Amino acid sequence: MNKNESQDYRSLVIVGAQWGDEGKGKITDYFAQSADMVVRFAGGNNAGHIIEQNGKKLKVTIVPSGIMNSRVINVIGNGTVINLPSLISEMEILEKEGFITDTIKISNRAHLVFPYHIVIDEFQEKERKNKKIGTTKRGIGPAYSDKVDRQGIRICDIAKKDFKEKLKYNVEYKNKFIKAMFDGKPLNFEDIYNETIELYKKIEDKITDTAIIIEDAIKSNKTVLFEGAQGVLLDIDHGTYPFVTSSNTSANNAPTGAGISANLIKHVIGVAKAYCTRVGAGGFPTELLSEIGDQIREKGHEYGSNTGRPRRVGWLDAVALKYAIKVGGITNIFITLLDVLSGLEKIKICTSYTLNNRQINSLPACDEDYQECIPNFLEMPGWNEDITQVKSFDELPENAKNYLKMIEKICEIDIIGFSIGPDRKQTILLDQIFNHD
Ligand code: GDP
Ligand code: IMO
Ligand code: MG
């Protein structure tokens, strides 16, 4: 790799290439060892990222996954939506665990999630009856709706003269909506106001124009990682709408959600499991409603890190992955949870779908069609060996090597690394991308 190429990796985006929970947190933490800054650019505490090092396990939802590295500045960017009570309790847990939260910086432009957003999220889900999205009920959709509707309240508003009036207007407006639509109980404005002011004081010193510090870091040749939340297939524009989250989850949103020029991003790592999971409703052609699915779920501990819900499990969907690579601007993929497939006699990869008796190689726009897609599989022999301690690609069993090579071939993209366990040590990088000389 020449020097210019390695320089491009100094602003590297890491996103999920499936329906979330691909292990982005783990991979971000791994790369953060050689980084100076990690920036979350979208989502809120609907995310749940587990990072693990030497048996020490952490869950972060809004704090960037660089937090286990004391020299890394962790930025919560303008594109995120922040629930203050949740952020503060997360920071308190981190401090108790011995991590330094002084490294956290919060964008003054980030929007806030208020209790009325959560109440509306819950009611809307209930109203959807058999068409539930399966949201995390963290108020994310309603908070982003307010942002787009220009009714949102941002962090920078809290210290301003008219904050009380603004919040009062919003609480009264939402109370009318909650009563009229769902016959729900009104929320108490004073309680929300007082709690917000009190919590604000705890983070005031971390609030800044983060776009400036990110740009400065990049210009002074620092390594900056942009950490995605959710996955490309949950992207509000390109995902399996309406069974998506309410933000742009792909790397294309990293510049907007962080406040930097799109020209600064050249490399995007898409993290993908060696199989697929989905938590929440929506089409899932390769879903395994069988013993094999249960086996993978148990072995991979496939239960939502945020909500505890069992994740739906399926074979690797290369059609969906190729689509995510294309629309999500992914330049390399990182395969995680490869170890979970050990012990299976056969492993399948979906290479096309059949819809209305025709073979298709891309995702249909409508979920109604997506639900009807029948997967066409390529079958490969599995391996029995425990691979959780391997240190290189060469140490993998032949069938595991062939599986990875097949993914590269079908998806027409290089695999940059793979992961064989939850711990940071169980990560194998195939290309030394941070060449700092
Ligand atoms: P994220 O939301 O993309 O950060 O992913 P989550 O943390 O929600 O879910 C991924 C889960 O898989 C976590 O419990 C990780 O500890 C775990 N994990 C990550 N990589 C591996 C791996 O290679 N093997 C195994 N067995 N577990 C992994
Ligand atoms: P991480 O960052 C997996 C899913 C929800 C639901 C849909 C909409 O840990 O990968 P929302 O609460 O965002 O309105 O829910 O999106 N979802 C996730 N699924 N991982 C996540 O985050 C998710 N965040 C949201 O289950 O289907
Ligand atoms: Mg997760």
Side-chain angles (χ1 to χ4, degrees), residues 21 259 341:
D21 301 328
L341 297 184

Side-chain angles (χ1 to χ4, degrees), residues 20-24 46-50 305-306 311:
D21 301 328
E22 301 89 348
K24 299 172 290 294
N46 49 347
H49 301 167
I50 307 280
S305 39
N306 200 331
R311 294 175 183 147

Side-chain angles (χ1 to χ4, degrees), residues 16 19-25 40 42-50 60-61 121 125 128 132-142 144 227-231 234 242-247 249 277-282 304-307 309 311-312:
W19 284 283
D21 301 328
E22 301 89 348
K24 299 172 290 294
R40 265 285 296 275
N45 67 335
N46 49 347
H49 301 167
I50 307 280
V60 284
T61 69
D121 195 357
E125 271 292 90
R128 288 183 187 115
K132 289 191 199 329
I133 293 169
T135 74
T136 58
K137 300 191 182 157
R138 299 293 192 267
I140 303 300
Y144 274 116
E227 179 188 20
Q230 293 81 49
L234 289 173
F243 300 98
V244 292
T245 190
S246 296
S247 63
T249 57
T277 62
R278 179 161 204 179
V279 56
S305 39
N306 200 331
T307 58
R309 292 178 289 178
R311 294 175 183 147
R312 300 157 69 194

Side-chain angles (χ1 to χ4, degrees), residues 75-337:
V75 179
I76 303 176
N78 59 276
T80 63
V81 286
I82 302 176
N83 175 314
L84 282 186
S86 163
L87 166 63
I88 279 142
S89 96
E90 192 162 317
M91 280 171 22
E92 285 170 357
I93 294 170
L94 288 168
E95 280 157 18
K96 251 190 229 146
E97 294 283 328
F99 295 99
I100 303 163
T101 56
D102 294 354
T103 59
I104 298 174
K105 303 280 173 210
I106 303 166
S107 168
N108 51 5
R109 289 182 170 81
H111 279 249
L112 289 159
V113 179
F114 285 102
Y116 48 79
H117 292 128
I118 298 168
V119 170
I120 292 171
D121 195 357
E122 284 166 351
F123 274 123
Q124 283 178 330
E125 271 292 90
K126 206 163 151 205
E127 277 298 293
R128 288 183 187 115
K129 303 209 165 66
N130 64 348
K131 298 242 182 297
K132 289 191 199 329
I133 293 169
T135 74
T136 58
K137 300 191 182 157
R138 299 293 192 267
I140 303 300
Y144 274 116
S145 300
D146 273 3
K147 172 178 176 172
V148 176
D149 202 16
R150 292 149 300 175
Q151 207 182 338
I153 298 182
R154 300 189 296 172
I155 299 261
C156 60
D157 296 323
I158 303 177
K160 296 293 166 219
K161 280 194 297 294
D162 65 349
F163 171 63
K164 193 166 189 179
E165 199 186 317
K166 220 178 222 173
L167 182 65
K168 192 159 198 286
Y169 175 85
N170 272 14
V171 175
E172 285 171 1
Y173 185 99
K174 299 299 178 185
N175 277 344
K176 279 189 212 156
F177 178 72
I178 290 167
K179 173 76 187 148
M181 287 301 296
F182 314 112
D183 199 23
K185 282 203 216 98
L187 287 105
N188 184 297
F189 160 71
E190 290 294 336
D191 289 350
I192 301 176
Y193 176 75
N194 292 336
E195 184 184 45
T196 307
I197 296 294
E198 197 186 308
L199 297 177
Y200 177 75
K201 288 182 201 143
K202 299 191 179 189
I203 52 155
E204 207 176 347
D205 61 328
K206 302 186 186 311
I207 299 166
T208 184
D209 189 337
T210 50
I212 296 175
I213 61 167
I214 300 168
E215 196 187 6
D216 282 354
I218 295 174
K219 289 206 167 136
S220 45
N221 269 341
K222 299 267 198 281
T223 297
V224 181
L225 306 181
F226 297 87
E227 179 188 20
Q230 293 81 49
V232 176
L233 301 174
L234 289 173
D235 184 283
I236 186 76
D237 279 278
H238 301 292
T240 48
Y241 193 90
F243 300 98
V244 292
T245 190
S246 296
S247 63
N248 285 111
T249 57
S250 85
N252 303 320
N253 190 33
T256 305
I260 56 152
S261 162
N263 294 331
L264 293 170
I265 310 273
K266 298 279 186 293
H267 284 275
V268 179
I269 294 182
V271 183
K273 281 182 180 166
Y275 47 95
C276 277
T277 62
R278 179 161 204 179
V279 56
F284 189 2
T286 67
E287 184 167 15
L288 277 162
L289 298 166
S290 64
E291 241 172 66
I292 297 181
D294 294 342
Q295 197 180 318
I296 295 175
R297 181 178 305 104
E298 293 315 311
K299 189 153 184 211
H301 306 290
E302 295 293 1
Y303 292 87
S305 39
N306 200 331
T307 58
R309 292 178 289 178
R311 294 175 183 147
R312 300 157 69 194
V313 171
W315 294 119
L316 183 75
D317 186 335
V319 181
L321 185 52
K322 268 179 99 164
Y323 170 84
I325 290 166
K326 186 169 68 106
V327 298
I330 292 169
T331 54
N332 287 106
I333 50 174
F334 209 112
I335 297 291
T336 54
L337 294 109

